[in-house]
Amino acid sequence: MTTKTKSIPFAQLTKLLKPFTLKTNTRPALKHIYYDGKYLIATNSHILARIPTEHITELPANHQFYFDPRKNEIVQCSQQYPETSRLFPTQFESEIKIMDINEFLTQEFIEKEME
């Protein structure tokens, strides 16, 4: 089974990420979409989106930046963006097996799994 990955233009993605940003000034960094050099990140501290850059086209050439989705521009921010990488596990203890339904329904498969 092959997986086809789609890409999205930066301008279109920032519109989709706008609802993930904070609307108030209580935490100024969270009003912006943050690019850390590897991911485009948006959070309002309740919901979080983190998009790998290999899926984004037309990405500005900066190493790191804050993007204001309301002004539609890269901005300066005096606050540091919160660390979000620890929220995503890098190792998993579970395994997912994807198979054809016909194989699943065969008696051989059921007997093999029961061993």
Side-chain angles (χ1 to χ4, degrees):
M1 172 184 255
T2 59
T3 304
K4 187 174 182 179
T5 305
K6 293 188 176 189
S7 294
I8 185 168
F10 176 76
Q12 185 179 356
L13 183 58
T14 58
K15 290 176 186 172
L16 294 172
L17 291 177
K18 183 178 177 181
F20 287 80
T21 61
L22 201 61
K23 293 168 183 57
T24 64
N25 282 328
T26 55
R27 296 182 68 191
L30 300 186
K31 289 181 68 176
H32 305 106
I33 297 167
Y34 178 62
Y35 175 60
D36 68 358
K38 194 173 179 182
Y39 297 97
L40 207 58
I41 304 164
T43 184
N44 63 12
S45 76
H46 297 286
I47 57 174
L48 171 72
R50 188 175 83 157
I51 314 296
T53 56
E54 64 258 19
H55 303 296
I56 306 167
T57 59
E58 303 165 22
L59 187 67
N62 302 26
H63 293 338
Q64 294 181 340
F65 60 82
Y66 289 88
F67 183 84
D68 188 330
R70 287 153 193 81
K71 294 180 181 177
N72 202 31
E73 64 184 12
I74 294 174
V75 296
Q76 297 289 326
C77 184
S78 60
Q79 273 195 344
Q80 186 171 349
Y81 209 81
E83 175 60 47
T84 60
S85 64
R86 294 175 298 195
L87 300 174
F88 294 91
T90 56
Q91 296 180 352
F92 304 92
E93 293 181 18
S94 299
E95 181 181 329
I96 298 173
K97 186 174 185 178
I98 300 172
M99 60 181 8
D100 181 87
I101 188 67
N102 293 323
E103 180 186 354
F104 176 75
L105 295 174
T106 64
Q107 186 65 32
E108 265 180 43
F109 172 77
I110 294 170
E111 290 173 359
K112 187 190 326 182
E113 290 300 311
M114 297 295 280
E115 293 176 356

